[in-house]
Amino acid sequence: HIPTASIAKMITAYVTFNALRDKKVAVDQKDKVSPATWTKWNNMGSTMFLHSNESVSIDNLLFGVLTLSGNDASVVLAEGVHGNEAAFVAEMNIAAKKLGMTNTRFGNPNGWPDGGKTYSTARDLATLAQAIILEHPKAFERYFSQESFRWANVTQANRNPLLGAIE
């Protein structure tokens, strides 16, 4: 078992892609950044630089999660897709189980250190990556390939060091 760190954001995306596919949410749905979420995640590690009470589309939140590795964007997305962070994390674990990720457990949507609650294995993470590519190829192409993303007048490069390195 290894801590997932920001790789946990892959299952956050997968759960969101499933919700989009199942029409539980829409890419243009706007979710509000709650003051509590802003207070907790403002400038905590990687960030999208969201503002309290700002409304942000799921589309932009996905870019914030997958291009910027935004911890704030991950939590706002979780709250918007499943109503609250705990319900979203429960769905993350259900999805992991359905995929056969038997050595994985998620404790939050962004991979922030949580005292060992979140862990996985390289094999399980490869299973997740394959599921994203095969089940959601258009979303994979759209959200995992951005070289940079601009939000709040800040342009940030993609945090994936392999992007563009392998052809």
Side-chain angles (χ1 to χ4, degrees), residues 47-110:
T47 182
M48 187 173 161
F49 297 110
L50 296 170
H51 299 282
S52 183
N53 292 312
E54 177 178 25
S55 292
V56 187
S57 70
I58 286 182
D59 187 52
N60 282 322
L61 289 168
L62 280 166
F63 283 122
V65 170
L66 297 172
T67 304
L68 310 178
S69 192
N71 292 318
D72 54 353
S74 299
V75 175
V76 174
L77 188 60
E79 293 169 345
V81 171
H82 277 284
N84 62 65
E85 192 174 350
F88 190 86
V89 170
E91 186 61 30
M92 291 168 67
N93 287 305
I94 290 168
K97 186 175 182 178
K98 285 181 184 175
L99 290 172
M101 297 171 66
T102 57
N103 292 300
T104 296
R105 176 85 178 125
F106 295 102
N108 62 59
N110 57 21

Side-chain angles (χ1 to χ4, degrees), residues 98-163:
K98 285 181 184 175
L99 290 172
M101 297 171 66
T102 57
N103 292 300
T104 296
R105 176 85 178 125
F106 295 102
N108 62 59
N110 57 21
W112 192 259
D114 59 8
K117 292 179 194 169
T118 299
Y119 58 85
S120 192
T121 63
R123 181 181 302 275
D124 280 1
L125 293 171
T127 297
L128 173 59
Q130 182 179 35
I132 290 170
I133 293 165
L134 295 177
E135 295 177 32
H136 303 288
K138 289 181 181 176
F140 174 74
E141 183 179 352
R142 176 169 173 75
Y143 295 106
F144 283 85
S145 64
Q146 291 293 110
E147 292 182 14
S148 64
F149 184 67
R150 183 173 180 80
W151 189 263
N153 294 318
V154 178
T155 301
Q156 298 181 68
N158 192 312
R159 297 194 186 265
N160 179 355
L162 297 176
L163 186 67

Side-chain angles (χ1 to χ4, degrees), residues 15-34:
V15 168
T16 303
F17 295 159
N18 287 346
L20 288 165
R21 177 198 61 213
D22 298 342
K23 303 202 184 310
K24 293 179 180 176
V25 295
V27 291
D28 59 353
Q29 172 184 312
K30 292 203 173 191
D31 298 318
K32 194 176 226 180
V33 180
S34 73

